[in-house]
Amino acid sequence: MSIDLDVFSSSIAPGANMTRMHGVSLSMVEWAIKHIMASGKVKIVDIAELNPEYDYDNQTAKLATKLIQTIVHFV
């Protein structure tokens, strides 16, 4: 499973490589992660497109951490 941080709105992921005004909500991605991880079929996970140079107050890094915590819950 690959999670691209570009999918989120720039308001919650300012440090994504290609920011966008409108994106998918965190709750929607967490819902998808929970259902995908519950399948038991996931072997590898990566989170892509974090650019620390543009990340304001580590918002995007904190978002990635939250996603990792959601994933690890199922391991």
Side-chain angles (χ1 to χ4, degrees), residues 16-67:
N17 249 2
M18 298 290 292
T19 59
R20 61 187 72 243
M21 292 296 293
H22 305 288
V24 178
S25 70
L26 174 59
S27 61
M28 176 75 129
V29 173
E30 286 180 318
W31 178 88
I33 289 171
K34 290 174 185 175
H35 283 80
I36 292 167
M37 293 301 293
S39 75
K41 296 180 180 182
V42 177
K43 301 296 181 200
I44 295 175
V45 177
D46 81 320
I47 296 179
E49 302 297 333
L50 173 62
N51 188 339
E53 193 172 317
Y54 298 115
D55 200 7
Y56 176 75
D57 197 29
N58 292 321
Q59 273 184 275
T60 313
K62 291 174 186 172
L63 171 65
T65 300
K66 185 164 180 57
L67 296 172

